Amino acid sequence: MSPDLETGRPKRVLVVGAGAAGMACADTLAQHPDRFHVSVVEAQSHCGGQMFSIPIDQKEYGASWLNQGVQGGSHIYHHTFYVFKKLNHHPQPVDLQVSFGKGNTFWTNFYPTQLVARHSKDIKRFSWAIKVMRWFELIFAMIPIKVSLKMFFFSDDLALFLGTGNATPNLPTVMMERLYTSPTYGMWYPIDRKMLTSNLPPMVVFPEATAVYSDWKESLEKRGVSIRLDTEVKQVLARSQQDGVRVSIIRKLKSNVSPLPSADASDSEQEVKHSENDAIEEELLEETYDEIVFCVLADTAKQILGKEARWIEKKVLGSTIWSDDVTVTHNDLDYMKRWYELEYNDDVAVSDLNGRDESGRVEKAKKLFQPMYLIKQTPADARKLEMSFDCSAFQYQMPKARSRSNNFCDLLFMTIFLNNKHVHTWSKNEIRPEKIIAENWWHQLCHSYTHYLFVVPFLFCLNRVRSHRYHTRFAGSWTLVNAHEVAVISGIAAAYSLGADYPKELKEDRFARLCFRLYLLLVHWRWFAP
């Protein structure tokens, strides 16, 4: 996209949201200061969205910070690694150990347990079923996991092996199948016919989140990008092919600071509102841009569009399903031991698995088992799950040897309670209040099969069809899969659809190019020209 032909000036682009998608979009557009003038507005007081850090007591835990929300990801996150490398931050590798259930319902990918032996026939049959799902992948892409499991007559207990959240039964079967069949991004590839999952998936742990996004913000501002925190787009007032996008924006100011005039707004368009306690002033502005990119959640984008939303935007954005989850960061070891297996358990270990000698794996587990990702079934409803992380084992800045040698006294945990509609199933009140370090609520996308039937296939209507008339693009992890990598790709894709170049360094990465091509085709219906 060239500069405005009538005025000769760069296109004015408003990016709404300074999370991974918004920052990636702004970063990609900033490659062309002669073609784009980029403004980013963020309602929170920091960049990064759900990826941020909190301070912790270094003397007690051996580290001064802890990542909240987004903690790490897969080794295939090439676009995310590109960002980290540019900012001189470096993720660290880790082999993921999991601990699901407790006692006679406990299993792990580190060593075989009685539960695995008990379901040996199911596991063998499941490995065959996965092959069938692979052969008929297009069909199973439209069938939720809960239906496909019934099609192959599996027992309910098998859900333990697959549960990564309460939405798991409604995921498309193809997502489960790919975990076992893809040599590239299959977390549990290859499938183990006797143990189901026996590998330690190579993962990466992210560097200090707040430092990453602070450096990214500084880098963008040096390149001419305007980033305004504590600033919220209240409403899209008008969109037209000739005049672009007109929005109302609220900027929060400290009461002892006089509002500064905006370059894009006249005196008559500015209004200062005082909050109830007079601690904050709100500056209300009207601004006009040539293009707008929504890098916020779908329901937030729909709310901002308001009456200006097209019917297809209302339909697609309104078809996303959300849950409100809470993460409790704590050091309540008693709670964790009550519900999870944190150490090797000789009582449930199995040294022979249907004729296969597992003594070596068991001996190794006695010394090295240190689960990082833990899941339990909630007693009130076995179909609902609770997830936890042992951050002292997972996040690289935490001293691993020190934690274990001190009998767990300096461990930090994150326990995630899913969907406040099911609050009656939570055991949150069992965590002692004095052990709680932080509580963070998240508005999370539910990865239901309906999302891949009624949202993803129609996003091109928002990002491609008549987008020249409405000057609007949408980005964010919700457009495909809730992952930091998808958010970064989506932001780059939105910038690319506006005419920015795909970053040169990523062009030289074949796998990154392939992922970008697939996303661009699915969400924008555009071809990538390398």
Side-chain angles (χ1 to χ4, degrees), residues 1-4 7-15 24-40 220-221 223-226 289-293 471 473 491-502:
M1 180 177 292
S2 60
D4 190 287
T7 64
R9 59 170 171 76
K11 291 284 185 180
R12 297 167 299 175
V13 182
L14 176 64
V15 178
C25 180
D27 194 298
T28 308
L29 293 171
Q31 296 177 118
H32 313 285
D34 58 324
R35 292 153 63 182
F36 302 103
H37 182 273
V38 186
S39 296
V40 181
L220 289 177
E221 289 176 332
R223 294 160 61 194
V225 176
S226 169
Y289 295 86
D290 300 304
E291 304 285 344
I292 187 171
V293 183
H471 307 283
R473 304 292 190 281
I492 296 175
Y496 182 84
S497 72
L498 288 170
D501 293 340
Y502 187 59

Side-chain angles (χ1 to χ4, degrees), residues 11-202:
K11 291 284 185 180
R12 297 167 299 175
V13 182
L14 176 64
V15 178
V16 184
M23 297 292 276
C25 180
D27 194 298
T28 308
L29 293 171
Q31 296 177 118
H32 313 285
D34 58 324
R35 292 153 63 182
F36 302 103
H37 182 273
V38 186
S39 296
V40 181
V41 296
E42 169 58 53
Q44 299 185 94
S45 58
H46 66 274
C47 298
Q50 293 189 1
M51 183 175 170
F52 63 94
S53 311
I54 62 170
I56 56 175
D57 189 334
Q58 185 163 7
K59 290 183 179 180
E60 184 174 358
Y61 301 109
S64 60
W65 56 271
L66 190 75
N67 280 342
Q68 298 285 93
V70 181
Q71 300 184 64
S74 171
H75 65 284
I76 67 172
Y77 282 15
H78 289 208
H79 293 81
T80 298
F81 301 155
Y82 156 74
V83 172
F84 290 162
K85 184 178 179 180
K86 274 204 320 179
L87 300 171
N88 198 29
H89 289 277
H90 307 284
Q92 300 296 320
V94 64
D95 293 331
L96 187 66
Q97 298 183 30
V98 298
S99 172
F100 287 11
K102 187 174 176 63
N104 63 359
T105 63
F106 166 66
W107 76 272
T108 173
N109 62 326
F110 204 94
Y111 65 96
T113 65
Q114 293 174 4
L115 181 68
V116 174
R118 192 162 65 244
H119 289 284
S120 59
K121 292 183 179 179
D122 273 343
I123 292 172
K124 185 177 181 180
R125 196 154 47 87
F126 182 76
S127 64
W128 169 81
I130 286 291
K131 289 183 179 179
V132 176
M133 295 171 187
R134 178 64 169 164
W135 295 338
F136 301 98
E137 194 171 64
L138 291 178
I139 296 175
F140 281 99
M142 298 178 287
I143 301 176
I145 290 174
K146 62 184 178 183
V147 174
S148 62
L149 288 180
K150 290 180 180 179
M151 289 171 60
F152 291 96
F153 304 102
F154 288 115
S155 67
D156 293 338
D157 284 344
L158 190 61
L160 267 176
F161 292 100
L162 307 173
T164 54
N166 289 342
T168 299
N170 293 318
L171 289 175
T173 301
V174 67
M175 296 181 72
M176 175 186 70
E177 172 256 308
R178 281 291 174 141
L179 288 176
Y180 292 98
T181 62
S182 172
T184 305
Y185 56 84
M187 189 175 184
W188 304 117
Y189 175 86
I191 192 170
D192 187 327
R193 290 171 56 87
K194 292 183 179 291
M195 192 172 157
L196 189 63
T197 55
S198 61
N199 64 311
L200 301 180

Side-chain angles (χ1 to χ4, degrees), residues 239 305 309-317 453-474 478-479 497 519-526:
R239 292 185 292 175
L305 283 170
R310 295 183 288 156
W311 72 268
I312 189 64
E313 289 170 330
K314 292 179 182 177
K315 184 66 176 177
V316 175
L317 298 175
L453 287 179
F454 306 122
V455 178
V456 176
F458 300 98
L459 282 173
F460 80 96
C461 295
L462 278 58
N463 284 319
R464 181 67 188 266
V465 177
R466 304 184 78 183
S467 59
H468 65 283
R469 176 176 177 179
Y470 293 95
H471 307 283
T472 305
R473 304 292 190 281
F474 297 87
W478 66 268
T479 57
S497 72
Y519 180 89
L520 200 65
L521 183 62
L522 284 171
V523 178
H524 289 263
W525 276 31
R526 293 180 184 272

Side-chain angles (χ1 to χ4, degrees), residues 280-295:
I280 297 293
E281 290 181 350
E282 290 184 348
E283 185 181 21
L284 181 61
L285 310 170
E286 286 190 13
E287 301 177 357
T288 301
Y289 295 86
D290 300 304
E291 304 285 344
I292 187 171
V293 183
F294 285 101
C295 297

